[in-house]
Amino acid sequence: MEPFTFVLPSVVYLAAITFVPFVYAIVISLRQFDLLNPMAGHPFVGLENYAEALGSGRFWSSTFTTLIYVTTAVGLETVLGLAIAILFSQEFPGRRVARAMVLIPMMTTPVVIGLTWRMIYDPDAGILNYAASLLGLGSHAWLADPATSLLAVVAVDVWQWTPFMILMMLAGLESLSPDHLEAASIDGASPWQTFWAVMLPQLAPTLAVAVTIRALDAFKTFDLIFIMTNGGPGTVTENLSMYAYKVGFVYFRFGDGTAVAFLFTILVSVLLGVAVNRVLFSGGRNA
């Protein structure tokens, strides 16, 4: 029996659950698929759904919201994760317990986190406004105010996923060459000079991988926004995942929703492809 025969069932199974839905989604995106207008059928419309999405102001507004969400959340998580990882790399009482406790947000489901933080942000009974009142500040509707709603959701994302960056940075710090750190100490380098000139260049590959993984996940954020704001107030917190969902499953325009999803996929692939190519592989070409 040929070796290929043994892997054939797995290949067929993977093809069935991967390529068949993918091809079917492409077919839907090229057709008018409006469940609120069943009499129109599903005629082939070519790239009309894509052109309609690209001409929609709401699509570009969602794209802008997505980019703001990803850059702000991942940037803060990277800085905080690196700072806390450096702290956890030092010896202090209770370090092992602190390392374990900091992982709790990452292991909690997004639905639980979203509902918990909705109660914390509640303008009438939330603990955040209670703490503000002790400082003499007034109550604020954090999730209902367009000026603070997106930042409030980003803050929850940072709270949940900074532990992931801490783990990645701790792994990177453990792999640093002690010889370079010892040489910097002998040369009289200050802690900041040691961090900037010795530690950070060696951590660059770990940072690039961690940021890429988190950015990929942050681009796809849906559950947290769905639970906390449902894209509101208005469309202030509506990212591309939420917009594609609403077009497909709230307005029942499956053809348009699928086209938005494919445009979203292309956008993420291009942005991360360029970033990964510049960060991870530029060093190899320059060598």
Side-chain angles (χ1 to χ4, degrees), residues 17-106:
I17 65 172
T18 304
F19 292 106
V20 172
F22 181 74
V23 172
Y24 183 60
I26 293 177
V27 172
I28 291 179
S29 72
L30 299 176
R31 291 180 176 275
Q32 179 183 339
F33 209 112
D34 189 350
L35 293 187
L36 296 181
N37 187 19
M39 300 301 293
H42 310 305
F44 179 78
V45 295
L47 298 177
E48 186 177 318
N49 291 333
Y50 292 88
E52 186 176 341
L54 291 173
S56 168
R58 193 167 169 180
F59 172 82
W60 293 110
S61 171
S62 301
T63 302
F64 181 72
T65 301
T66 303
L67 294 176
I68 293 295
Y69 184 94
V70 172
T71 53
T72 306
V74 177
L76 289 173
E77 289 160 12
T78 303
V79 173
L80 289 173
L82 180 57
I84 297 173
I86 292 175
L87 173 65
F88 282 173
S89 67
Q90 311 299 317
E91 288 291 343
F92 61 88
R95 187 180 69 158
R96 291 186 176 181
V97 176
R99 280 186 173 188
M101 295 291 290
V102 82
L103 299 180
I104 292 177
M106 193 175 67

Side-chain angles (χ1 to χ4, degrees), residues 16-235:
I17 65 172
T18 304
F19 292 106
V20 172
F22 181 74
V23 172
Y24 183 60
I26 293 177
V27 172
I28 291 179
S29 72
L30 299 176
R31 291 180 176 275
Q32 179 183 339
F33 209 112
D34 189 350
L35 293 187
L36 296 181
N37 187 19
M39 300 301 293
H42 310 305
F44 179 78
V45 295
L47 298 177
E48 186 177 318
N49 291 333
Y50 292 88
E52 186 176 341
L54 291 173
S56 168
R58 193 167 169 180
F59 172 82
W60 293 110
S61 171
S62 301
T63 302
F64 181 72
T65 301
T66 303
L67 294 176
I68 293 295
Y69 184 94
V70 172
T71 53
T72 306
V74 177
L76 289 173
E77 289 160 12
T78 303
V79 173
L80 289 173
L82 180 57
I84 297 173
I86 292 175
L87 173 65
F88 282 173
S89 67
Q90 311 299 317
E91 288 291 343
F92 61 88
R95 187 180 69 158
R96 291 186 176 181
V97 176
R99 280 186 173 188
M101 295 291 290
V102 82
L103 299 180
I104 292 177
M106 193 175 67
M107 296 184 291
T108 309
T109 61
V111 174
V112 173
I113 289 175
L115 292 174
T116 303
W117 278 90
R118 275 186 63 177
M119 290 190 289
I120 292 174
Y121 283 136
D122 188 274
D124 298 320
I127 191 172
L128 187 59
N129 278 325
Y130 174 73
S133 69
L134 296 178
L135 300 174
L137 302 176
S139 177
H140 187 78
W142 299 95
L143 297 177
D145 187 346
T148 59
S149 55
L150 183 59
L151 289 177
V153 179
V154 168
V156 178
D157 190 290
V158 171
W159 177 81
Q160 182 182 12
W161 289 111
T162 295
F164 170 79
M165 303 301 281
I166 295 173
L167 281 180
M168 295 292 288
M169 294 305 106
L170 276 173
L173 289 171
E174 294 290 338
S175 66
L176 293 182
S177 170
D179 295 339
H180 294 151
L181 299 176
E182 186 178 352
S185 177
I186 293 173
D187 290 341
S190 66
W192 172 252
Q193 289 173 325
T194 302
F195 167 75
W196 186 257
V198 179
M199 295 174 64
L200 200 56
Q202 294 185 70
L203 278 176
T206 305
L207 274 170
V209 172
V211 169
T212 301
I213 294 174
R214 268 304 299 139
L216 269 173
D217 195 48
F219 268 115
K220 299 181 296 183
T221 300
F222 172 80
D223 37 21
L224 194 62
I225 295 176
F226 180 77
I227 293 296
M228 294 188 68
T229 64
N230 196 27
T235 58

